[in-house]
Amino acid sequence: MTNSQTMKNSQSPDVADRSAATLIELVDLQKHYHMGTTTVEALAGVNLKIHPGEFVSITGASGSGKSTMMGILGCLDRPTGGKYFFDGEPAGELSDRQLAKIRNRSIGFVFQTFNLLPRTSAIKNVEVPMFYAKRIRTRNFALEALEMVGLAGRAHHVPAELSGGERQRVAIARAIVNNPKLLLADEPTGNLDSYTGAQIMMIFHQLHASGVTIVLVTHEPDIAVQAERIVQMRDGKIVHDGPVDPAKRVQAMEETRRMAEEKQKRLQANS
Amino acid sequence: MFYLRIILTSILSLKTNLLRSLLATIGVIIGVAAVVAAMSIIEGLTREVEKSIESFGSNVLQVFPGAKRQGGRQVGEVQTLSIDDADAIAAQCPAVIRSAPEVMGVATVKFFNKNTQGTVLGTMPQYTEIRAYNVEHGRFFTRSDVKSEAYVAVLGHKVAQELFGNGSPLGFVVKIQGKTFTVIGVMEKKGTIGFTRVDEQVIIPVTTAMKRLFGYRNIHSISAQAKDTHLANEAQKQISTLLRKRHKTPPGVDDDFAIFSQEQISKSFRETSQRLGLVFYSIAGISLVVGGIGIANIMLVSVTERTREIGVRMAVGAQRFDILSQFLAESSLISVVGGSIGVLVGVGFSKVLTGLSANMLKVYVAPSAVIIALTVAFITGMISGIYPAYKASRLDPVEALRYE
Ligand SMILES: Nc1ncnc2c1ncn2[C@@H]1O[C@H](COP(=O)(O)OP(=O)(O)OP(=O)(O)O)[C@@H](O)[C@H]1O
Ligand SMILES: [Mg+2]
């Protein structure tokens, strides 16, 4: 169904310019906030293409517009100018209903602050996206997703009973449970120590290996270089966009793997 | 399935704030309790009274005395009913087959060391036919007993039982207000006639009651029996004409008596109970409005508190309509829970009332009252949830997620 819609909606004039293998395309994207008499240009003309299966890091100083861009990429927000094509569809022209559907089926979100539903067990949290997808028999899928992030044993714990790293893993399970094409993560390790962050990164690598497109915002250079490509922003614009040196990437990933394993060992030693 | 889950979700979120949710529903609880109690009391009353009204007899009219009035002002002396009036009604009104005078008084009835407080009715022999109320043992008094102002008494079923147990009272003497009466009969068990509990009554000749016992100069009422049920209205008109003539009431002056028929009593009862109902329902209505505002208020607080949750739900794909449904489900659920508590309170209150009245007021909890009350509570919750739910569904996802 999403495919047939894609075919229909992509009959715009510049269809030939975009390769079929573009998942995200931003064309002169702008987001202005009007605050009284002044205007904040959170995004001041962003051009960006991301292909399916890519792993992209976004870096930049605080206030440079990273989260604003993630909001638009995630179809949570609408640009005030320019165009955004998600999987060939002009997101700016879709209804709230269609955007909600895209968020539900095609995009997974991971936030810095986890954003789990409080007083709701891990497995119930993971079931929420399936609930809005009107899927039935969601229990097993939720368990599978929790297994994937190594938390099947915590399925019935509420967030207050989980550590930060565990909460973030529940959030990742929730993000992937509807098998999205795109995973958006806005500083997912920002609230975690580096060992716990390494565990989270290992999950992202695993997801990436399984074909999920990942866009990850981070302040930490060690994390940014684990992506295949780094996009750097300043004052609402992209100031640098280039591939990561594969050698550096491999090195950073090895370090991450080491830290994740160490953390795992420490946990096992404790229990 | 989806909506079942929405409801389950709202149960969960209400549970986490149980106390607050319940406090929010106090208005609904009171409103629903009032509706249920009102409907139960009125229904109970109606059932009791309708039974009494039926026992009154559809062809029986009762005439009561009243002052002669003109434009609300009393003119002339108080004309009252006499035994002659009662006789004249039977003799001169073609639609009336029988009529009997009645006087009442409360008296202590004694048999040796046992005594009981009873109502004494003074009347004529035709009373038994008019009220279809018969003697079980012995005999009723006769016209000559009336004429001779005899000291004879016919006991109501319960009076006989209380004074004599299972033994026969016939031929024994009882003391009524210190005067000695011979028991000549015992009436059948009847319960109530009209609003009178006849089983607790002692019946004696009207003349004896007036002259020897109470010293009344006038009678208290006249019971008249129409030839047929459909002649009741006709009989009423004839009695009215006759009494106005006998009392010399000039045209334009109000009757100095009042005639009641079963139809009339049930009509005026119905009016009274409707007015009573209106008062109850107004109270209930106001409580429900207040309750609705309470729920709307708590839902608004809840929407603000859960802004982030709403943002998260939207981020993972909730439609605006899904959010709307969830909050509507919550507000209706709160009020249905409140409503159910209200039903329990209302039923409990009615039961207590029945107990307090020593079972005289038999409250009847109609299932329809419960259903109506719960439906009204549900609708109240829906309506008061509309604005908060709408507000929740219109939140901007990004801003909701940023909300601290
Ligand atoms: N709702 C809003 N109203 C007004 N200004 C906003 C709003 N949201 C963001 N901004 C502004 O837009 C700019 C970009 O904000 P954004 O959150 O995208 O930055 P960021 O790169 O994610 O920063 P950080 O690294 O601190 O998260 C900031 O100057 C911010 O003040
Ligand atoms: Mg940010």
Side-chain angles (χ1 to χ4, degrees), chain A residues 61-68 70 112 186-187 217 219, chain B residues 402:
Chain A
S62 184
S64 55
K66 304 180 298 291
S67 293
T68 305
M70 292 293 267
Q112 181 176 357
D186 195 344
E187 300 186 42
V217 172
H219 282 292
Chain B
R402 276 172 178 260

Side-chain angles (χ1 to χ4, degrees), chain A residues 16-175:
Chain A
D17 293 341
R18 298 196 311 279
S19 94
T22 305
L23 182 63
I24 285 172
E25 181 173 4
L26 302 179
V27 183
D28 191 29
L29 192 83
Q30 317 207 347
K31 180 76 186 185
H32 295 176
Y33 291 106
H34 298 281
M35 310 279 288
T37 51
T38 62
T39 301
V40 179
E41 291 190 35
L43 293 175
V46 172
N47 291 288
L48 181 69
K49 272 190 194 181
I50 294 175
H51 302 284
E54 271 195 282
F55 187 165
V56 181
S57 286
I58 297 178
T59 62
S62 184
S64 55
K66 304 180 298 291
S67 293
T68 305
M69 188 165 91
M70 292 293 267
I72 291 171
L73 290 183
C75 294
L76 283 166
D77 207 354
R78 293 171 186 275
T80 47
K83 279 194 185 312
Y84 169 32
F85 296 95
F86 175 78
D87 207 8
E89 303 214 42
E93 290 158 33
L94 299 180
S95 66
D96 282 356
R97 217 186 151 71
Q98 288 167 305
L99 290 182
K101 205 161 198 172
I102 290 178
R103 290 198 295 271
N104 185 230
R105 312 285 160 92
S106 311
I107 300 176
F109 275 98
V110 179
F111 305 91
Q112 181 176 357
T113 52
F114 322 132
N115 276 334
L116 297 178
L117 300 184
R119 295 177 291 258
T120 307
S121 67
I123 193 155
K124 287 229 165 77
N125 262 289
V126 176
E127 283 181 288
V128 171
M130 294 189 276
F131 166 48
Y132 290 117
K134 317 230 154 87
R135 285 170 62 175
I136 51 165
R137 262 172 278 162
T138 53
R139 240 326 98 122
N140 283 340
F141 291 105
L143 256 180
E144 263 172 42
L146 280 174
E147 240 158 55
M148 198 262 145
V149 298
L151 268 188
R154 295 276 194 280
H156 296 284
H157 291 234
V158 296
E161 299 164 350
L162 297 173
S163 72
E166 287 168 335
R167 288 183 212 181
Q168 193 61 299
R169 284 191 275 164
V170 174
I172 295 172
R174 179 179 68 187

Side-chain angles (χ1 to χ4, degrees), chain B residues 108-262:
Chain B
T108 315
V109 184
K110 255 183 159 165
F111 176 67
F112 284 113
N113 55 353
K114 287 192 204 152
N115 62 60
T116 177
Q117 196 76 11
T119 317
V120 174
L121 169 70
T123 185
M124 298 261 214
Q126 58 269 34
Y127 168 83
T128 59
E129 286 152 310
I130 296 172
R131 295 298 187 175
Y133 177 37
N134 301 308
V135 173
E136 193 174 65
H137 300 296
R139 63 171 183 96
F140 206 78
F141 50 80
T142 58
R143 287 206 149 256
S144 65
D145 290 328
V146 174
K147 208 170 279 169
S148 64
E149 294 164 22
Y151 284 95
V152 289
V154 182
L155 305 184
H157 199 269
K158 199 171 163 205
V159 177
Q161 200 122 63
E162 270 175 23
L163 294 180
F164 295 92
N166 289 327
S168 169
L170 297 183
F172 287 102
V173 292
V174 292
K175 294 248 184 196
I176 303 177
Q177 297 288 80
K179 303 242 161 66
T180 307
F181 284 74
T182 305
V183 178
I184 56 169
V186 176
M187 300 302 286
E188 64 184 337
K189 195 170 175 176
K190 185 84 170 181
T192 59
I193 293 180
F195 300 99
T196 315
R197 282 188 248 185
V198 291
D199 291 346
E200 295 165 28
Q201 201 175 239
V202 175
I203 309 173
I204 61 174
V206 64
T207 46
T208 319
M210 288 173 77
K211 292 181 195 157
R212 312 249 178 228
L213 205 56
F214 297 120
Y216 295 145
R217 288 180 49 227
N218 301 101
I219 61 171
H220 295 154
S221 61
I222 299 169
S223 284
Q225 183 184 6
K227 284 216 167 76
D228 196 278
T229 304
H230 70 263
L231 285 174
N233 281 338
E234 186 58 30
Q236 184 167 355
K237 270 187 224 129
Q238 291 171 3
I239 293 169
S240 179
T241 313
L242 176 72
L243 288 181
R244 284 181 75 92
K245 204 169 84 196
R246 287 179 57 85
H247 296 179
K248 304 195 174 63
T249 313
V253 175
D254 289 346
D255 294 343
D256 60 354
F257 54 87
I259 306 172
F260 289 93
S261 61
Q262 182 188 354

